[in-house]
Amino acid sequence: MRGPHNLVRLIRTGATFERTGAMAVVLDAMDAPKPLRVAIRLFAAPFRWLGYEGDPAMPPATRAITALGPAYIKFGQILSTRPDVVGDELAVQLRVLQDSLPPFPTAQAKRAIAIELGQPVDRLFSEFSEPVAAASIAQVHRAKLAETGETVAVKVLRPGIERAFRRDIEAFYFAARMIERLSPASRRLRPVEVIAHFESVVLGELDLRLEAASAAEFAANTARDEGFDVPVLRWHLSGRRVMTMGWVDGIGAAEVAQIDAAGHDRKRLAARVLQLFLAHALRDGYFHGDMHQGNLKVGPDGTLIALDFGIMGRIDEYTRRVYAEIIFGFIRKDYRRVAEVHFEAGYVPADRDVDAFASALRAVGEPIFGMDASRISMARLLNYLFEVTERFGMETRTELILLQRTMVVVEGVARTLDPHINIWEASRPVVEDYIRESIGPKAVARDLGRTVQVLSRFGPRLPALAEAALVRQSHPEPEPRRRDLPPIGWIAVGA
């Protein structure tokens, strides 16, 4: 029954997009070829009456997505951070989805908490407010602990959200495969891979225990970061569908007028947002993967406070070093070194010309560095870099997708606070410190020490492992005979 269900859901989705006027907007953003446009419009038009009307006050794309429900809203939120897929204009429209959404009744939230934590809400909390924030997956209530009177934030999943997501994700896959078949040109956008990325992100957010673990790890990593804070987690009041953290008072990072009225230095805050993100990514290899304005607050003392840890990114130490060297090479305009790093890491096939690649990188970097500081963009650099590396046969590095996407989002937050920020100058101290610590003599000694530790752990087994390897080398296993060819003797007889 999945096929018919997916088809019906797809028809309703297309009808809603057609009815709200979002279909033309989306097709324009994706630069869809004419045959695909005609096919989709002809398919959706007869069913226009089946589509949801949505809120006419909203822009077409957000109007359609909001009307279709939580899974579509979450998908729109993720696409809002992927201008490389949907285009800059549509990405800006979709950012509306990061703001408040209609909440579900408080009575349902209390019922879910009582089931999850095994006690009535009135016994756990002396006060429990109406929803103070609502998103596509969960909503937040302000409460006071019955035992201590401490104010906390209680996050509760929407009722039935898991079932709704499973249903809609199947429809998304169905639509992505149809798009790839109807339009081979669309395969460069990898629609099926985009849906797979979306699915992995959402499944992690549907278990608040995983988010709680992420928050705890992130808090431990950043405990010594000056001017940065993570709310304290309350493990005994958290579970799969409920998470409780300390309440934080602050101003949203998008509220520029309020930040000014409070007397905060927006230029300093902008630089800190960028530097903290780079420090977390390079130093820790663990960073906030959804660091938009809605997930950042400015505390009374100017401290940046991170919220919502459902999407976190992780990169290994070697990849961090490669990424830092690439950024540092661009900062120093050492394009030859940037090219060499790509080849050393295996990002570009070895049979390509390193000098030609360095020249192509210079064509990427020089126009950007020639711009006024307020127009220098890490997002633009990454976009150009993707074009160049694609020409030279570089495959998509899945471990860098979230990092690159978040870098674009963080740059947007920094520019909201300080439109004239020089991205490169703000990045330089963090990248230089990391290069100094990870590539210099101290780093070599540290790497050797780790290697010795690994060898010492396997020391008792090394002789046996070496002997087994030598035996295999001396007595290689015979290659299996191919089943699709007859025996040589049979060929001779047949001849």
Side-chain angles (χ1 to χ4, degrees):
M1 293 298 292
R2 288 183 179 180
H5 163 77
N6 289 336
L7 184 59
V8 170
R9 188 63 171 154
L10 182 60
I11 290 172
R12 172 147 277 174
T13 299
T16 300
F17 271 74
E18 187 69 25
R19 183 174 182 178
T20 57
M23 185 68 79
V25 174
V26 172
L27 292 175
D28 286 343
M30 295 181 65
D31 196 21
K34 189 173 182 179
L36 179 62
R37 290 172 183 263
V38 173
I40 291 178
R41 297 299 292 271
L42 287 176
F43 178 77
F47 301 98
R48 191 174 184 274
W49 61 277
L50 283 173
Y52 300 114
E53 183 177 2
D55 184 354
M58 291 183 172
T62 51
R63 174 182 172 185
I65 290 171
T66 304
L68 285 165
Y72 289 81
I73 292 170
K74 188 63 186 178
F75 191 44
Q77 289 174 339
I78 292 175
L79 287 181
S80 75
T81 63
R82 292 297 304 272
D84 58 313
V85 173
V86 299
D88 294 332
E89 185 176 346
L90 183 56
V92 170
Q93 290 186 31
L94 294 177
R95 283 175 197 154
V96 174
L97 299 171
Q98 295 170 352
D99 296 332
S100 297
L101 296 169
F104 59 89
T106 300
Q108 291 185 3
K110 289 184 175 181
R111 193 177 309 122
I113 294 170
I115 294 172
E116 186 70 34
L117 302 183
Q119 296 186 58
V121 170
D122 294 342
R123 188 178 300 173
L124 296 170
F125 306 105
S126 58
E127 294 180 14
F128 194 86
S129 76
E130 293 296 313
V132 296
S136 56
I137 289 179
Q139 67 186 29
V140 177
H141 298 260
R142 181 171 179 161
K144 282 190 176 182
L145 298 181
E147 291 183 353
T148 64
E150 179 189 0
T151 303
V152 294
V154 184
K155 185 174 184 177
V156 188
L157 288 184
R158 286 184 177 272
I161 193 68
E162 297 94 338
R163 184 174 62 256
F165 269 101
R166 279 195 298 270
R167 177 195 65 200
D168 287 335
I169 283 172
E170 288 179 6
F172 292 165
Y173 273 116
F174 183 73
R177 293 188 184 101
M178 284 193 63
I179 290 172
E180 284 193 347
R181 290 173 184 172
L182 289 171
S183 174
S186 70
R187 292 171 189 166
R188 67 182 180 84
L189 298 175
R190 298 182 294 278
V192 173
E193 291 183 29
V194 169
I195 302 303
H197 170 68
F198 167 68
E199 181 182 19
S200 67
V201 168
V202 171
L203 290 178
E205 291 191 79
L206 291 178
D207 188 341
L208 293 182
R209 293 171 299 188
L210 299 178
E211 181 175 346
S214 297
E217 181 177 355
F218 194 51
N221 289 346
T222 61
R224 296 184 180 181
D225 288 347
E226 184 180 352
F228 186 78
D229 198 12
V230 174
V232 178
L233 184 69
R234 299 291 182 267
W235 279 106
H236 67 291
L237 295 173
S238 300
R240 187 174 66 84
R241 299 184 58 82
V242 178
M243 185 177 72
T244 305
M245 304 186 78
W247 181 267
V248 294
D249 289 309
I251 304 169
E255 305 298 332
V256 175
Q258 293 184 39
I259 291 173
D260 287 338
H264 298 302
D265 184 346
R266 280 197 286 118
K267 290 185 177 181
R268 177 180 173 277
L269 288 173
R272 283 297 288 158
V273 168
L274 186 63
Q275 290 169 353
L276 284 165
F277 167 72
L278 285 172
H280 300 158
L282 297 178
R283 180 194 67 201
D284 306 326
Y286 193 64
F287 59 92
H288 197 302
D290 198 18
M291 209 167 169
H292 60 73
Q293 288 97 329
N295 286 337
L296 279 176
K297 286 186 177 293
V298 181
D301 60 351
T303 296
L304 286 166
I305 305 166
L307 305 171
D308 195 346
F309 308 97
I311 304 176
M312 304 296 291
R314 195 185 298 276
I315 49 178
D316 62 75
E317 188 167 356
Y318 177 74
T319 304
R320 282 182 265 160
R321 293 184 184 184
V322 170
Y323 192 69
E325 280 212 76
I326 290 172
I327 295 176
F328 193 54
F330 271 110
I331 290 175
R332 295 188 303 171
K333 300 186 181 181
D334 188 351
Y335 303 108
R336 170 75 186 195
R337 181 56 192 152
V338 175
E340 290 172 348
V341 171
H342 278 81
F343 278 83
E344 291 168 4
Y347 290 177
V348 176
D351 61 347
R352 304 305 169 98
D353 189 326
V354 66
D355 291 319
F357 187 53
S359 296
L361 292 174
R362 184 178 294 276
V364 170
E366 289 299 321
I368 293 176
F369 285 110
M371 295 178 183
D372 176 75
S374 63
R375 296 175 60 203
I376 294 175
S377 169
M378 184 72 74
R380 187 178 290 111
L381 171 67
L382 290 173
N383 186 47
Y384 291 166
L385 187 58
F386 290 155
E387 293 178 8
V388 170
T389 52
E390 185 177 3
R391 284 208 312 271
F392 280 82
M394 175 178 169
E395 296 183 358
T396 300
R397 307 298 301 187
T398 55
E399 72 272 19
L400 293 178
I401 290 175
L402 183 59
L403 178 68
Q404 292 159 343
R405 172 173 74 82
T406 310
M407 186 72 218
V408 174
V409 175
V410 170
E411 181 188 327
V413 175
R415 289 199 185 281
T416 299
L417 294 167
D418 177 14
H420 302 288
I421 186 174
N422 187 320
I423 298 296
W424 295 110
E425 290 303 314
S427 303
R428 181 189 290 268
V430 178
V431 178
E432 286 182 344
D433 286 347
Y434 179 77
I435 292 288
R436 193 179 302 114
E437 289 294 321
S438 65
I439 300 178
K442 288 169 59 177
V444 173
R446 187 168 59 248
D447 290 345
L448 287 174
R450 291 175 181 172
T451 303
V452 170
Q453 287 180 352
V454 172
L455 290 174
S456 66
R457 288 201 300 271
F458 285 89
R461 297 183 58 195
L462 285 178
L465 291 172
E467 182 179 8
L470 289 171
V471 169
R472 285 195 301 270
Q473 185 71 22
S474 302
H475 304 284
E477 295 181 5
E479 293 185 6
R481 189 170 62 187
R482 291 182 59 182
R483 295 180 179 272
D484 57 342
L485 293 177
I488 294 176
W490 185 90
I491 294 176
V493 173

